[in-house]
Structure formats: structure tokens, C-alpha cells
Amino acid sequence: MSKQKSSGNNKLWIGIGIAAIIVLAIGAVFIFQGNNSTTTIESQIPQEITVDEAAILRDTGAFVLDVREPEEWVEYHIPGATLIPLAQLENRLNEIPTDQQVIVVCRSGNRSQVGRDILQGAGYESSTSMAGGMNQWMAAGYEWVEGP
């Protein structure tokens, strides 16, 4: 079942504004990097992002990794997210793409920080944690689903 809170045009304009800021920031990073082939735009992702930023990144192709437990996942999760519980993450790194930005998600934002650190320690430089977790995602009115 899909649930979504109606938020009107304000959320659209806020999203467009955030997207514009992200595009400008990425453009500035690209310009200042010049021809340095050892640094990529993806490696410039912040350590933690807001749910609004996460929604934009998800909608533009980022991989959403949920590190909660299976029973939490069944209650609610982000459509299209992949579940790998935090305790299993180090043993399942081969399931995470290396060619996409990775947004790590949990219930409140604490476990996702640990998950992000595990990923970054394993070489996933373009990984980040979503501040506020699913609690904040749902409070902001973003889409979520129930079930496996």
C-alpha cells in the first residue's frame, strides 16, 4: 500500500530550489577541479543529507540502502530501497553498486551514519547518510510503502 501526504506547490518549489542549489554546487566543484581525473563529482557528496536532498538524489538515480531490521522494513520503507541490515552490511558489500551514489537510511538517522562509515571504509566514497531517517522522511510527506 502506498501512502503520501499532500503538500501542495510549496514542496515542489522547495524541491526545485534545492535541486538548483545542488546543481550549482556540483557545477562549482567541477569547475574548480579542472582536469583532475583522480577526483570525481560523486566523491563530493556530503557526509549527511536532508530528506529533501535524499528525495532528489533518489529520483535522479541514487541507490537507497536501508540498514534497519526486516521487521522494521515490513512496517514501512522507501519505494525502490534495498534492505541490508546493519549487522550484515560488511558481509554483503558486493550487493551495493559502485557506480552510483548511495544514500544510507534507517529509522532515525543513527544507524545510517554507521552504515555510511562502513561503506566509506570499504571505498564507497559517494555514500551518505540521510538525517532524521524514515521518521523524518514520513513526517515530510514523502512516499513510503508497507510490506516486503
Side-chain angles (χ1 to χ4, degrees):
M1 174 174 21
S2 178
K3 300 196 182 207
Q4 186 171 14
K5 181 179 175 184
S6 176
S7 59
N9 288 335
N10 289 341
K11 184 164 274 190
L12 173 66
W13 286 111
I14 290 170
I16 291 170
I18 291 171
I21 291 169
I22 291 171
V23 168
L24 290 173
I26 289 173
V29 168
F30 183 75
I31 290 168
F32 288 113
Q33 285 178 352
N35 292 325
N36 184 354
S37 61
T38 61
T39 305
T40 63
I41 292 172
E42 289 84 12
S43 68
Q44 301 301 316
I45 193 167
Q47 292 288 303
E48 185 171 72
I49 59 174
T50 66
V51 294
D52 294 329
E53 292 166 326
I56 292 167
L57 289 177
R58 179 195 69 148
D59 292 346
T60 58
F63 182 82
V64 179
L65 173 64
D66 194 318
V67 295
R68 296 176 300 147
E69 293 300 314
E71 57 273 7
E72 294 174 285
W73 167 269
V74 171
E75 287 182 53
Y76 50 84
H77 58 273
I78 296 172
T82 297
L83 173 66
I84 301 178
L86 185 59
Q88 299 173 15
L89 184 55
E90 289 185 80
N91 295 324
R92 296 177 58 186
L93 291 172
N94 62 329
E95 298 176 41
I96 301 168
T98 57
D99 61 344
Q100 291 176 263
Q101 293 177 324
V102 179
I103 305 166
V104 186
V105 177
C106 67
R107 182 180 299 261
S108 65
N110 294 320
R111 287 177 282 178
S112 62
Q113 292 176 16
V114 174
R116 175 210 55 219
D117 293 346
I118 290 170
L119 291 177
Q120 289 181 351
Y124 290 83
E125 293 178 6
S126 61
S127 58
T128 187
S129 171
M130 184 176 79
M134 286 300 300
N135 292 339
Q136 187 63 39
W137 179 270
M138 292 177 3
Y142 288 109
E143 183 182 11
W144 55 276
V145 294
E146 297 174 336

